[in-house]
Amino acid sequence: MSGIAWRAVPFAALTTPELYEVLQLRTEVFVMEQAGIYQDMDGSDHEAVHVLGVSGGQLVAYARCFPAGVKFAEASIGRVITREMLRGSGMGHELMRQAIACVFGHWGAQPIRIGAQARLEKFYLQHGFLTAGLPYIEDGIPHVEMLRP
């Protein structure tokens, strides 16, 4: 998408304002919008590479990427977010392309496993992920593991 500046940075390279904006967006979407009461700051952010999509000085898309062995045996992508005002614009697809490229760029081409919200299963299928388990409930929301071989 045009007009979006993309960066993939380790935790230590995030500025204080960037970190604040990341945590604010994650809380806005995962806690407030989805009414999920859970511990978003799970102690894993320091192990992730953070994908930031910024437009007009505002964080509009975000994901965090992990090497194999942190969240799953495989590399993984999580906390995938686009601002509500941009949903349906294709921003989520560009974010996933950026996140997959981040994993490959940092740790080489390899399988990627995710814990996807079940309602987004078809979205992730479009990015080469295959359903790899039975549905489960996480933080009150139906999820399913998916693997991109």
Side-chain angles (χ1 to χ4, degrees):
M1 297 197 67
S2 62
I4 307 296
W6 294 98
R7 292 178 54 222
V9 297
F11 183 76
L14 289 170
T15 66
T16 302
E18 285 173 329
L19 177 59
Y20 185 87
E21 196 169 12
V22 163
L23 296 175
Q24 185 177 41
L25 180 60
R26 286 178 9 189
T27 300
E28 180 182 308
V29 173
F30 295 127
V31 177
M32 303 302 292
E33 181 182 322
Q34 296 180 356
I37 299 174
Y38 76 107
Q39 182 65 43
D40 176 55
M41 290 175 275
D42 60 0
S44 298
D45 285 311
H46 68 283
E47 299 182 78
V49 174
H50 301 262
V51 177
L52 311 170
V54 177
S55 178
Q58 182 183 43
L59 182 66
V60 296
Y62 170 84
R64 64 182 189 177
C65 303
F66 293 97
V70 176
K71 291 293 185 177
F72 297 103
E74 302 85 1
S76 63
I77 298 168
R79 300 293 200 270
V80 177
I81 304 172
T82 57
R83 283 214 180 265
E84 187 173 24
M85 66 185 178
L86 293 172
R87 292 184 200 146
S89 70
M91 173 67 65
H93 291 291
E94 181 57 27
L95 173 59
M96 281 309 297
R97 287 189 285 273
Q98 294 287 331
I100 291 166
C102 173
V103 169
F104 289 3
H106 281 82
W107 305 294
Q110 61 189 286
I112 302 171
R113 185 174 296 269
I114 61 174
Q117 289 187 8
R119 67 182 182 82
L120 297 172
E121 188 173 4
K122 289 180 183 176
F123 170 83
Y124 290 112
L125 288 169
Q126 295 176 61
H127 292 277
F129 288 88
L130 304 172
T131 304
L134 297 173
Y136 61 95
I137 301 296
E138 182 176 317
D139 302 317
I141 298 171
H143 281 70
V144 64
E145 278 191 23
M146 299 184 79
L147 179 68
R148 187 178 194 274

